[in-house]
């Protein structure tokens, strides 16, 4: 079971006892809330890909329009939303993940809701790319992996280790390294 939520700040999810989320890019936040709720569900699924592959997932969202659009693989009212619903199912099929989307009242969706409203991430810091390269070169460090980065903010290398489950295929989630 996984809960997801979207706000105009970002997205969040809770899977078992592990939470994750992130902020939207300027392009993403320009979409309507129904699209963002579906995108939050998609990003949540991708973040836990290694754990949920080969499983049926009860995906709980607090937006009935997003629930219906994903379950019905689209709606006739919005081409963008239809396309996203289709991408979710195509990704699910290719990764052997089968979501069953159900409604959860917003007041019960506390953990995912809290994650979706975080405006600043506690691990968001980075060196300027030129300083990173200069320091690595001066120290003779072979750059092979970046530590504690995320898809939007601060990775210099791929792969990178993410503080929380991260949807980028090049991320190595610290949660999986430590727990699984």
């Amino acid at each position: 079971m996984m809960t997801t939520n979207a706000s105009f700040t970002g997205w969040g999810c809770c899977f078992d006892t592990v939470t994750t989320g992130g902020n939207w890019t300027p392009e993403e936040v320009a979409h309507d809330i129904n699209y963002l709720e579906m995108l939050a569900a998609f990003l949540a699924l991708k973040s836990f890909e290694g754990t949920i592959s080969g499983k049926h997932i009860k995906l709980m969202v607090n937006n009935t329009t997003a629930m219906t659009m994903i379950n019905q693989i689209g709606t006739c009212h919005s081409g963008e939303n239809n396309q996203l619903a289709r991408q979710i199912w195509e990704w699910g099929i290719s990764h052997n993940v089968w979501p069953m989307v159900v409604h959860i009242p917003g007041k019960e969706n506390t953990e995912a809701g809290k994650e979706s409203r975080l405006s600043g991430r506690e691990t968001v810091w980075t060196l300027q790319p030129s300083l990173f390269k200069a320091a690595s070169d001066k120290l003779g460090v072979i750059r092979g992996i970046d530590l504690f980065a995320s898809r939007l903010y601060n990775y210099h290398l791929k792969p990178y280790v993410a503080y929380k489950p991260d949807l980028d295929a090049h991320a190595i989630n610290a949660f999986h390294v430590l727990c699984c």
Side-chain angles (χ1 to χ4, degrees):
M1 183 171 70
M2 179 183 291
T3 60
T4 68
N5 190 60
S7 71
F8 285 109
T9 303
W11 65 278
C13 89
C14 183
F15 179 64
D16 288 334
T17 59
V18 180
T19 60
T20 194
N23 297 110
W24 301 121
T25 66
E27 296 79 25
E28 290 167 340
V29 79
H31 291 280
D32 67 75
I33 193 64
N34 297 323
Y35 184 95
L36 294 177
E37 290 281 357
M38 288 196 308
L39 185 57
F42 193 22
L43 298 177
L45 291 168
K46 291 169 96 176
S47 292
F48 289 97
E49 174 186 337
T51 307
I52 65 174
S53 183
K55 296 187 172 118
H56 290 262
I57 297 297
K58 183 177 183 180
L59 187 58
M60 302 177 76
V61 301
N62 62 357
N63 179 299
T64 55
T65 302
M67 175 192 75
T68 301
M69 285 190 290
I70 296 170
N71 283 336
Q72 294 181 0
I73 314 175
T75 177
C76 61
H77 304 307
S78 167
E80 283 186 327
N81 291 355
N82 284 344
Q83 183 179 9
L84 181 56
R86 185 178 174 147
Q87 283 180 300
I88 293 168
W89 278 101
E90 287 173 350
W91 180 90
I93 291 166
S94 69
H95 290 85
N96 200 21
V97 174
W98 306 99
M100 176 184 69
V101 186
V102 298
H103 182 257
I104 182 174
K107 64 183 179 183
E108 294 176 22
N109 198 10
T110 55
E111 293 300 316
K114 184 172 82 174
E115 281 288 329
S116 76
R117 287 184 283 284
L118 292 176
S119 61
R121 300 289 171 181
E122 65 278 3
T123 60
V124 178
W125 62 272
T126 189
L127 295 173
Q128 290 180 353
S130 60
L131 291 176
F132 175 77
K133 182 179 180 335
S136 297
D137 291 345
K138 184 169 184 138
L139 295 171
V141 174
I142 299 171
R143 299 179 302 266
I145 191 165
D146 202 347
L147 298 177
F148 305 104
S150 69
R151 80 174 177 117
L152 293 183
Y153 301 113
N154 58 351
Y155 70 86
H156 290 285
L157 304 170
K158 288 187 178 186
Y160 60 86
V161 174
Y163 173 69
K164 288 188 169 190
D166 192 274
L167 63 117
D168 192 293
H170 294 97
I172 299 168
N173 295 319
F175 166 74
H176 295 294
V177 172
L178 296 173
C179 302
C180 305

